[in-house]
Amino acid sequence: MKKAGLLGLLLMLPWSVWAADLVKVVDPWVREAPPTSAVMAAYMGLENGGQAALHLVGVTSPLFAKVEMHQTVTKDGMAMMEPVQHMEVPA
C-alpha cells in the first residue's frame, strides 16, 4: 500500500461531525513495509482543541480488514505498543 493511501487512513478517524473540528492529527507517519508484510502501522498524535476530554472508542478504515488502537508505553526504559479498547483525548 502506498504512503499516500495510509496517510489518508490517518485522517479517517470516526469522530462525529461536532468533534471533527476539535481534533487534529499531528505528526502522522508510516514506515514503508516489506512487500510480503501482512501488517502495517501508522503513528500519530491527537490534539483536542475543545473544552472537554473526548473518548475515542474505535477506528475503522475501508482500506484494511482490521484496525487496532495501541498506545506507546515505556517499561524499564523500553518503548513498546500496548493494545487499548479506548483512549481519552484530553482537552
Side-chain angles (χ1 to χ4, degrees), residues 10-43:
L10 298 177
L11 302 176
M12 292 189 280
L13 296 172
W15 301 104
S16 63
V17 174
W18 64 269
D21 292 334
L22 301 177
V23 177
K24 179 179 175 185
V25 173
V26 293
D27 300 324
W29 68 277
V30 177
R31 179 174 289 134
E32 188 171 353
T36 59
S37 178
V39 177
M40 295 290 301
Y43 303 89

PDB file of all heavy atoms in Angstrom, residues 10-43:
ATOM      1  N   LEU A  10      -5.145   7.879   8.149  1.00  0.00           N
ATOM      2  CA  LEU A  10      -4.967   8.592   9.407  1.00  0.00           C
ATOM      3  C   LEU A  10      -6.027   9.674   9.606  1.00  0.00           C
ATOM      4  O   LEU A  10      -6.365  10.017  10.730  1.00  0.00           O
ATOM      5  CB  LEU A  10      -3.583   9.246   9.453  1.00  0.00           C
ATOM      6  CG  LEU A  10      -2.397   8.303   9.385  1.00  0.00           C
ATOM      7  CD1 LEU A  10      -1.099   9.095   9.358  1.00  0.00           C
ATOM      8  CD2 LEU A  10      -2.408   7.335  10.537  1.00  0.00           C
ATOM      9  N   LEU A  11      -6.517  10.179   8.517  1.00  0.00           N
ATOM     10  CA  LEU A  11      -7.493  11.268   8.604  1.00  0.00           C
ATOM     11  C   LEU A  11      -8.930  10.767   8.677  1.00  0.00           C
ATOM     12  O   LEU A  11      -9.855  11.557   8.781  1.00  0.00           O
ATOM     13  CB  LEU A  11      -7.318  12.197   7.398  1.00  0.00           C
ATOM     14  CG  LEU A  11      -5.921  12.795   7.281  1.00  0.00           C
ATOM     15  CD1 LEU A  11      -5.818  13.612   6.004  1.00  0.00           C
ATOM     16  CD2 LEU A  11      -5.581  13.637   8.491  1.00  0.00           C
ATOM     17  N   MET A  12      -9.145   9.458   8.674  1.00  0.00           N
ATOM     18  CA  MET A  12     -10.490   8.906   8.671  1.00  0.00           C
ATOM     19  C   MET A  12     -10.909   8.393  10.040  1.00  0.00           C
ATOM     20  O   MET A  12     -11.556   7.368  10.157  1.00  0.00           O
ATOM     21  CB  MET A  12     -10.598   7.783   7.636  1.00  0.00           C
ATOM     22  CG  MET A  12     -10.496   8.302   6.232  1.00  0.00           C
ATOM     23  SD  MET A  12     -10.861   7.051   5.012  1.00  0.00           S
ATOM     24  CE  MET A  12      -9.318   6.173   4.959  1.00  0.00           C
ATOM     25  N   LEU A  13     -10.521   9.076  11.074  1.00  0.00           N
ATOM     26  CA  LEU A  13     -10.938   8.681  12.417  1.00  0.00           C
ATOM     27  C   LEU A  13     -12.445   8.867  12.543  1.00  0.00           C
ATOM     28  O   LEU A  13     -13.004   9.836  12.030  1.00  0.00           O
ATOM     29  CB  LEU A  13     -10.215   9.517  13.467  1.00  0.00           C
ATOM     30  CG  LEU A  13      -8.704   9.325  13.507  1.00  0.00           C
ATOM     31  CD1 LEU A  13      -8.084  10.337  14.447  1.00  0.00           C
ATOM     32  CD2 LEU A  13      -8.353   7.929  13.929  1.00  0.00           C
ATOM     33  N   PRO A  14     -13.149   7.965  13.225  1.00  0.00           N
ATOM     34  CA  PRO A  14     -14.615   8.021  13.266  1.00  0.00           C
ATOM     35  C   PRO A  14     -15.167   9.018  14.282  1.00  0.00           C
ATOM     36  O   PRO A  14     -15.894   8.668  15.194  1.00  0.00           O
ATOM     37  CB  PRO A  14     -14.985   6.589  13.641  1.00  0.00           C
ATOM     38  CG  PRO A  14     -13.864   6.158  14.495  1.00  0.00           C
ATOM     39  CD  PRO A  14     -12.637   6.779  13.877  1.00  0.00           C
ATOM     40  N   TRP A  15     -14.825  10.259  14.161  1.00  0.00           N
ATOM     41  CA  TRP A  15     -15.345  11.296  15.046  1.00  0.00           C
ATOM     42  C   TRP A  15     -16.698  11.761  14.526  1.00  0.00           C
ATOM     43  O   TRP A  15     -16.933  11.793  13.340  1.00  0.00           O
ATOM     44  CB  TRP A  15     -14.405  12.501  15.090  1.00  0.00           C
ATOM     45  CG  TRP A  15     -13.036  12.164  15.549  1.00  0.00           C
ATOM     46  CD1 TRP A  15     -11.922  12.041  14.772  1.00  0.00           C
ATOM     47  CD2 TRP A  15     -12.612  11.889  16.874  1.00  0.00           C
ATOM     48  NE1 TRP A  15     -10.851  11.712  15.528  1.00  0.00           N
ATOM     49  CE2 TRP A  15     -11.236  11.614  16.823  1.00  0.00           C
ATOM     50  CE3 TRP A  15     -13.259  11.837  18.100  1.00  0.00           C
ATOM     51  CZ2 TRP A  15     -10.506  11.305  17.951  1.00  0.00           C
ATOM     52  CZ3 TRP A  15     -12.518  11.530  19.225  1.00  0.00           C
ATOM     53  CH2 TRP A  15     -11.168  11.274  19.144  1.00  0.00           C
ATOM     54  N   SER A  16     -17.549  12.145  15.418  1.00  0.00           N
ATOM     55  CA  SER A  16     -18.799  12.752  14.980  1.00  0.00           C
ATOM     56  C   SER A  16     -18.488  14.112  14.377  1.00  0.00           C
ATOM     57  O   SER A  16     -17.407  14.655  14.570  1.00  0.00           O
ATOM     58  CB  SER A  16     -19.760  12.893  16.166  1.00  0.00           C
ATOM     59  OG  SER A  16     -19.205  13.758  17.124  1.00  0.00           O
ATOM     60  N   VAL A  17     -19.433  14.671  13.646  1.00  0.00           N
ATOM     61  CA  VAL A  17     -19.195  15.934  12.951  1.00  0.00           C
ATOM     62  C   VAL A  17     -18.776  17.032  13.919  1.00  0.00           C
ATOM     63  O   VAL A  17     -17.864  17.793  13.651  1.00  0.00           O
ATOM     64  CB  VAL A  17     -20.452  16.354  12.154  1.00  0.00           C
ATOM     65  CG1 VAL A  17     -20.269  17.732  11.556  1.00  0.00           C
ATOM     66  CG2 VAL A  17     -20.744  15.329  11.070  1.00  0.00           C
ATOM     67  N   TRP A  18     -19.392  17.116  15.086  1.00  0.00           N
ATOM     68  CA  TRP A  18     -19.032  18.185  16.024  1.00  0.00           C
ATOM     69  C   TRP A  18     -17.631  18.018  16.562  1.00  0.00           C
ATOM     70  O   TRP A  18     -16.948  18.990  16.845  1.00  0.00           O
ATOM     71  CB  TRP A  18     -20.035  18.272  17.172  1.00  0.00           C
ATOM     72  CG  TRP A  18     -20.073  17.046  18.033  1.00  0.00           C
ATOM     73  CD1 TRP A  18     -20.872  15.955  17.884  1.00  0.00           C
ATOM     74  CD2 TRP A  18     -19.251  16.768  19.166  1.00  0.00           C
ATOM     75  NE1 TRP A  18     -20.592  15.017  18.840  1.00  0.00           N
ATOM     76  CE2 TRP A  18     -19.619  15.495  19.640  1.00  0.00           C
ATOM     77  CE3 TRP A  18     -18.247  17.479  19.823  1.00  0.00           C
ATOM     78  CZ2 TRP A  18     -19.006  14.909  20.749  1.00  0.00           C
ATOM     79  CZ3 TRP A  18     -17.648  16.894  20.926  1.00  0.00           C
ATOM     80  CH2 TRP A  18     -18.028  15.629  21.378  1.00  0.00           C
ATOM     81  N   ALA A  19     -17.137  16.800  16.702  1.00  0.00           N
ATOM     82  CA  ALA A  19     -15.795  16.580  17.246  1.00  0.00           C
ATOM     83  C   ALA A  19     -14.727  16.754  16.182  1.00  0.00           C
ATOM     84  O   ALA A  19     -13.590  17.055  16.496  1.00  0.00           O
ATOM     85  CB  ALA A  19     -15.705  15.200  17.873  1.00  0.00           C
ATOM     86  N   ALA A  20     -15.081  16.568  14.913  1.00  0.00           N
ATOM     87  CA  ALA A  20     -14.084  16.628  13.846  1.00  0.00           C
ATOM     88  C   ALA A  20     -13.375  17.971  13.801  1.00  0.00           C
ATOM     89  O   ALA A  20     -12.202  18.041  13.479  1.00  0.00           O
ATOM     90  CB  ALA A  20     -14.742  16.321  12.509  1.00  0.00           C
ATOM     91  N   ASP A  21     -14.086  19.046  14.127  1.00  0.00           N
ATOM     92  CA  ASP A  21     -13.463  20.359  14.129  1.00  0.00           C
ATOM     93  C   ASP A  21     -12.548  20.557  15.330  1.00  0.00           C
ATOM     94  O   ASP A  21     -11.726  21.459  15.336  1.00  0.00           O
ATOM     95  CB  ASP A  21     -14.529  21.455  14.121  1.00  0.00           C
ATOM     96  CG  ASP A  21     -15.294  21.488  12.807  1.00  0.00           C
ATOM     97  OD1 ASP A  21     -14.726  21.050  11.784  1.00  0.00           O
ATOM     98  OD2 ASP A  21     -16.447  21.937  12.815  1.00  0.00           O
ATOM     99  N   LEU A  22     -12.695  19.747  16.361  1.00  0.00           N
ATOM    100  CA  LEU A  22     -11.920  19.909  17.579  1.00  0.00           C
ATOM    101  C   LEU A  22     -10.642  19.081  17.596  1.00  0.00           C
ATOM    102  O   LEU A  22      -9.696  19.419  18.283  1.00  0.00           O
ATOM    103  CB  LEU A  22     -12.768  19.495  18.797  1.00  0.00           C
ATOM    104  CG  LEU A  22     -14.070  20.248  19.012  1.00  0.00           C
ATOM    105  CD1 LEU A  22     -14.812  19.654  20.201  1.00  0.00           C
ATOM    106  CD2 LEU A  22     -13.802  21.721  19.233  1.00  0.00           C
ATOM    107  N   VAL A  23     -10.612  17.973  16.865  1.00  0.00           N
ATOM    108  CA  VAL A  23      -9.487  17.046  16.932  1.00  0.00           C
ATOM    109  C   VAL A  23      -8.583  17.233  15.722  1.00  0.00           C
ATOM    110  O   VAL A  23      -9.037  17.310  14.592  1.00  0.00           O
ATOM    111  CB  VAL A  23      -9.980  15.588  16.996  1.00  0.00           C
ATOM    112  CG1 VAL A  23      -8.808  14.629  16.995  1.00  0.00           C
ATOM    113  CG2 VAL A  23     -10.835  15.384  18.226  1.00  0.00           C
ATOM    114  N   LYS A  24      -7.290  17.284  16.009  1.00  0.00           N
ATOM    115  CA  LYS A  24      -6.301  17.470  14.955  1.00  0.00           C
ATOM    116  C   LYS A  24      -5.297  16.321  15.022  1.00  0.00           C
ATOM    117  O   LYS A  24      -4.793  15.996  16.093  1.00  0.00           O
ATOM    118  CB  LYS A  24      -5.593  18.805  15.160  1.00  0.00           C
ATOM    119  CG  LYS A  24      -4.533  19.119  14.156  1.00  0.00           C
ATOM    120  CD  LYS A  24      -3.922  20.476  14.465  1.00  0.00           C
ATOM    121  CE  LYS A  24      -2.764  20.767  13.530  1.00  0.00           C
ATOM    122  NZ  LYS A  24      -2.105  22.025  13.909  1.00  0.00           N
ATOM    123  N   VAL A  25      -5.027  15.700  13.879  1.00  0.00           N
ATOM    124  CA  VAL A  25      -3.984  14.681  13.786  1.00  0.00           C
ATOM    125  C   VAL A  25      -2.665  15.414  13.581  1.00  0.00           C
ATOM    126  O   VAL A  25      -2.543  16.243  12.690  1.00  0.00           O
ATOM    127  CB  VAL A  25      -4.256  13.715  12.613  1.00  0.00           C
ATOM    128  CG1 VAL A  25      -3.095  12.760  12.420  1.00  0.00           C
ATOM    129  CG2 VAL A  25      -5.556  12.967  12.836  1.00  0.00           C
ATOM    130  N   VAL A  26      -1.675  15.109  14.437  1.00  0.00           N
ATOM    131  CA  VAL A  26      -0.377  15.776  14.334  1.00  0.00           C
ATOM    132  C   VAL A  26       0.737  14.754  14.144  1.00  0.00           C
ATOM    133  O   VAL A  26       0.695  13.651  14.682  1.00  0.00           O
ATOM    134  CB  VAL A  26      -0.093  16.651  15.578  1.00  0.00           C
ATOM    135  CG1 VAL A  26      -1.053  17.825  15.647  1.00  0.00           C
ATOM    136  CG2 VAL A  26      -0.162  15.852  16.858  1.00  0.00           C
ATOM    137  N   ASP A  27       1.708  15.128  13.366  1.00  0.00           N
ATOM    138  CA  ASP A  27       2.900  14.325  13.107  1.00  0.00           C
ATOM    139  C   ASP A  27       2.597  12.886  12.671  1.00  0.00           C
ATOM    140  O   ASP A  27       3.198  11.936  13.196  1.00  0.00           O
ATOM    141  CB  ASP A  27       3.814  14.314  14.337  1.00  0.00           C
ATOM    142  CG  ASP A  27       4.283  15.698  14.731  1.00  0.00           C
ATOM    143  OD1 ASP A  27       4.522  16.510  13.820  1.00  0.00           O
ATOM    144  OD2 ASP A  27       4.405  15.968  15.939  1.00  0.00           O
ATOM    145  N   PRO A  28       1.703  12.672  11.702  1.00  0.00           N
ATOM    146  CA  PRO A  28       1.438  11.295  11.259  1.00  0.00           C
ATOM    147  C   PRO A  28       2.606  10.765  10.431  1.00  0.00           C
ATOM    148  O   PRO A  28       3.253  11.512   9.698  1.00  0.00           O
ATOM    149  CB  PRO A  28       0.181  11.438  10.403  1.00  0.00           C
ATOM    150  CG  PRO A  28       0.275  12.819   9.855  1.00  0.00           C
ATOM    151  CD  PRO A  28       0.916  13.646  10.951  1.00  0.00           C
ATOM    152  N   TRP A  29       2.877   9.484  10.570  1.00  0.00           N
ATOM    153  CA  TRP A  29       3.892   8.857   9.724  1.00  0.00           C
ATOM    154  C   TRP A  29       3.668   7.359   9.645  1.00  0.00           C
ATOM    155  O   TRP A  29       3.083   6.763  10.532  1.00  0.00           O
ATOM    156  CB  TRP A  29       5.302   9.193  10.176  1.00  0.00           C
ATOM    157  CG  TRP A  29       5.715   8.618  11.494  1.00  0.00           C
ATOM    158  CD1 TRP A  29       5.442   9.135  12.734  1.00  0.00           C
ATOM    159  CD2 TRP A  29       6.469   7.429  11.734  1.00  0.00           C
ATOM    160  NE1 TRP A  29       5.987   8.338  13.714  1.00  0.00           N
ATOM    161  CE2 TRP A  29       6.626   7.285  13.128  1.00  0.00           C
ATOM    162  CE3 TRP A  29       7.031   6.464  10.898  1.00  0.00           C
ATOM    163  CZ2 TRP A  29       7.310   6.223  13.699  1.00  0.00           C
ATOM    164  CZ3 TRP A  29       7.714   5.414  11.473  1.00  0.00           C
ATOM    165  CH2 TRP A  29       7.853   5.308  12.854  1.00  0.00           C
ATOM    166  N   VAL A  30       4.144   6.790   8.542  1.00  0.00           N
ATOM    167  CA  VAL A  30       4.037   5.358   8.286  1.00  0.00           C
ATOM    168  C   VAL A  30       5.365   4.899   7.702  1.00  0.00           C
ATOM    169  O   VAL A  30       5.852   5.493   6.748  1.00  0.00           O
ATOM    170  CB  VAL A  30       2.903   5.040   7.282  1.00  0.00           C
ATOM    171  CG1 VAL A  30       2.851   3.560   6.967  1.00  0.00           C
ATOM    172  CG2 VAL A  30       1.578   5.543   7.802  1.00  0.00           C
ATOM    173  N   ARG A  31       5.934   3.855   8.280  1.00  0.00           N
ATOM    174  CA  ARG A  31       7.156   3.278   7.722  1.00  0.00           C
ATOM    175  C   ARG A  31       6.757   2.332   6.589  1.00  0.00           C
ATOM    176  O   ARG A  31       5.830   1.549   6.728  1.00  0.00           O
ATOM    177  CB  ARG A  31       7.919   2.519   8.799  1.00  0.00           C
ATOM    178  CG  ARG A  31       9.199   1.866   8.279  1.00  0.00           C
ATOM    179  CD  ARG A  31      10.007   1.247   9.390  1.00  0.00           C
ATOM    180  NE  ARG A  31      10.583   2.324  10.186  1.00  0.00           N
ATOM    181  CZ  ARG A  31      10.571   2.356  11.517  1.00  0.00           C
ATOM    182  NH1 ARG A  31      10.015   1.385  12.204  1.00  0.00           N
ATOM    183  NH2 ARG A  31      11.102   3.366  12.166  1.00  0.00           N
ATOM    184  N   GLU A  32       7.462   2.397   5.480  1.00  0.00           N
ATOM    185  CA  GLU A  32       7.157   1.509   4.362  1.00  0.00           C
ATOM    186  C   GLU A  32       7.455   0.071   4.773  1.00  0.00           C
ATOM    187  O   GLU A  32       8.520  -0.236   5.310  1.00  0.00           O
ATOM    188  CB  GLU A  32       7.998   1.891   3.147  1.00  0.00           C
ATOM    189  CG  GLU A  32       7.616   1.145   1.913  1.00  0.00           C
ATOM    190  CD  GLU A  32       8.305   1.687   0.671  1.00  0.00           C
ATOM    191  OE1 GLU A  32       8.978   2.724   0.755  1.00  0.00           O
ATOM    192  OE2 GLU A  32       8.159   1.040  -0.382  1.00  0.00           O
ATOM    193  N   ALA A  33       6.508  -0.794   4.525  1.00  0.00           N
ATOM    194  CA  ALA A  33       6.639  -2.199   4.915  1.00  0.00           C
ATOM    195  C   ALA A  33       7.236  -3.020   3.786  1.00  0.00           C
ATOM    196  O   ALA A  33       7.094  -2.666   2.611  1.00  0.00           O
ATOM    197  CB  ALA A  33       5.275  -2.759   5.295  1.00  0.00           C
ATOM    198  N   PRO A  34       7.867  -4.135   4.135  1.00  0.00           N
ATOM    199  CA  PRO A  34       8.349  -5.042   3.081  1.00  0.00           C
ATOM    200  C   PRO A  34       7.166  -5.545   2.250  1.00  0.00           C
ATOM    201  O   PRO A  34       6.043  -5.622   2.750  1.00  0.00           O
ATOM    202  CB  PRO A  34       8.979  -6.195   3.865  1.00  0.00           C
ATOM    203  CG  PRO A  34       9.225  -5.665   5.237  1.00  0.00           C
ATOM    204  CD  PRO A  34       8.202  -4.605   5.469  1.00  0.00           C
ATOM    205  N   PRO A  35       7.400  -5.911   1.007  1.00  0.00           N
ATOM    206  CA  PRO A  35       6.303  -6.335   0.126  1.00  0.00           C
ATOM    207  C   PRO A  35       5.491  -7.520   0.647  1.00  0.00           C
ATOM    208  O   PRO A  35       4.325  -7.656   0.325  1.00  0.00           O
ATOM    209  CB  PRO A  35       6.994  -6.703  -1.183  1.00  0.00           C
ATOM    210  CG  PRO A  35       8.364  -6.168  -1.103  1.00  0.00           C
ATOM    211  CD  PRO A  35       8.688  -5.924   0.332  1.00  0.00           C
ATOM    212  N   THR A  36       6.083  -8.370   1.455  1.00  0.00           N
ATOM    213  CA  THR A  36       5.367  -9.553   1.950  1.00  0.00           C
ATOM    214  C   THR A  36       4.700  -9.333   3.299  1.00  0.00           C
ATOM    215  O   THR A  36       4.071 -10.240   3.837  1.00  0.00           O
ATOM    216  CB  THR A  36       6.341 -10.744   2.071  1.00  0.00           C
ATOM    217  OG1 THR A  36       7.396 -10.370   2.971  1.00  0.00           O
ATOM    218  CG2 THR A  36       6.921 -11.120   0.722  1.00  0.00           C
ATOM    219  N   SER A  37       4.791  -8.146   3.844  1.00  0.00           N
ATOM    220  CA  SER A  37       4.231  -7.867   5.167  1.00  0.00           C
ATOM    221  C   SER A  37       2.707  -7.872   5.136  1.00  0.00           C
ATOM    222  O   SER A  37       2.085  -7.291   4.252  1.00  0.00           O
ATOM    223  CB  SER A  37       4.718  -6.514   5.672  1.00  0.00           C
ATOM    224  OG  SER A  37       4.154  -6.228   6.924  1.00  0.00           O
ATOM    225  N   ALA A  38       2.103  -8.523   6.129  1.00  0.00           N
ATOM    226  CA  ALA A  38       0.647  -8.559   6.249  1.00  0.00           C
ATOM    227  C   ALA A  38       0.150  -7.531   7.260  1.00  0.00           C
ATOM    228  O   ALA A  38      -1.054  -7.361   7.433  1.00  0.00           O
ATOM    229  CB  ALA A  38       0.198  -9.954   6.675  1.00  0.00           C
ATOM    230  N   VAL A  39       1.064  -6.853   7.934  1.00  0.00           N
ATOM    231  CA  VAL A  39       0.704  -5.911   8.994  1.00  0.00           C
ATOM    232  C   VAL A  39       1.352  -4.566   8.709  1.00  0.00           C
ATOM    233  O   VAL A  39       2.510  -4.505   8.300  1.00  0.00           O
ATOM    234  CB  VAL A  39       1.170  -6.436  10.374  1.00  0.00           C
ATOM    235  CG1 VAL A  39       0.859  -5.445  11.463  1.00  0.00           C
ATOM    236  CG2 VAL A  39       0.544  -7.785  10.672  1.00  0.00           C
ATOM    237  N   MET A  40       0.603  -3.490   8.937  1.00  0.00           N
ATOM    238  CA  MET A  40       1.124  -2.131   8.784  1.00  0.00           C
ATOM    239  C   MET A  40       0.897  -1.384  10.090  1.00  0.00           C
ATOM    240  O   MET A  40       0.012  -1.740  10.872  1.00  0.00           O
ATOM    241  CB  MET A  40       0.385  -1.386   7.668  1.00  0.00           C
ATOM    242  CG  MET A  40       0.586  -1.945   6.294  1.00  0.00           C
ATOM    243  SD  MET A  40       2.243  -1.706   5.652  1.00  0.00           S
ATOM    244  CE  MET A  40       2.400   0.064   5.683  1.00  0.00           C
ATOM    245  N   ALA A  41       1.662  -0.341  10.298  1.00  0.00           N
ATOM    246  CA  ALA A  41       1.473   0.506  11.469  1.00  0.00           C
ATOM    247  C   ALA A  41       1.508   1.964  11.030  1.00  0.00           C
ATOM    248  O   ALA A  41       2.336   2.350  10.215  1.00  0.00           O
ATOM    249  CB  ALA A  41       2.556   0.238  12.509  1.00  0.00           C
ATOM    250  N   ALA A  42       0.603   2.742  11.576  1.00  0.00           N
ATOM    251  CA  ALA A  42       0.569   4.183  11.346  1.00  0.00           C
ATOM    252  C   ALA A  42       0.668   4.849  12.710  1.00  0.00           C
ATOM    253  O   ALA A  42       0.070   4.383  13.678  1.00  0.00           O
ATOM    254  CB  ALA A  42      -0.728   4.576  10.649  1.00  0.00           C
ATOM    255  N   TYR A  43       1.437   5.912  12.795  1.00  0.00           N
ATOM    256  CA  TYR A  43       1.668   6.600  14.062  1.00  0.00           C
ATOM    257  C   TYR A  43       1.203   8.047  13.938  1.00  0.00           C
ATOM    258  O   TYR A  43       1.329   8.654  12.885  1.00  0.00           O
ATOM    259  CB  TYR A  43       3.155   6.565  14.412  1.00  0.00           C
ATOM    260  CG  TYR A  43       3.706   5.175  14.481  1.00  0.00           C
ATOM    261  CD1 TYR A  43       4.229   4.562  13.348  1.00  0.00           C
ATOM    262  CD2 TYR A  43       3.682   4.464  15.673  1.00  0.00           C
ATOM    263  CE1 TYR A  43       4.731   3.275  13.404  1.00  0.00           C
ATOM    264  CE2 TYR A  43       4.183   3.171  15.740  1.00  0.00           C
ATOM    265  CZ  TYR A  43       4.706   2.583  14.594  1.00  0.00           C
ATOM    266  OH  TYR A  43       5.201   1.314  14.658  1.00  0.00           O
TER     267      TYR A  43
END
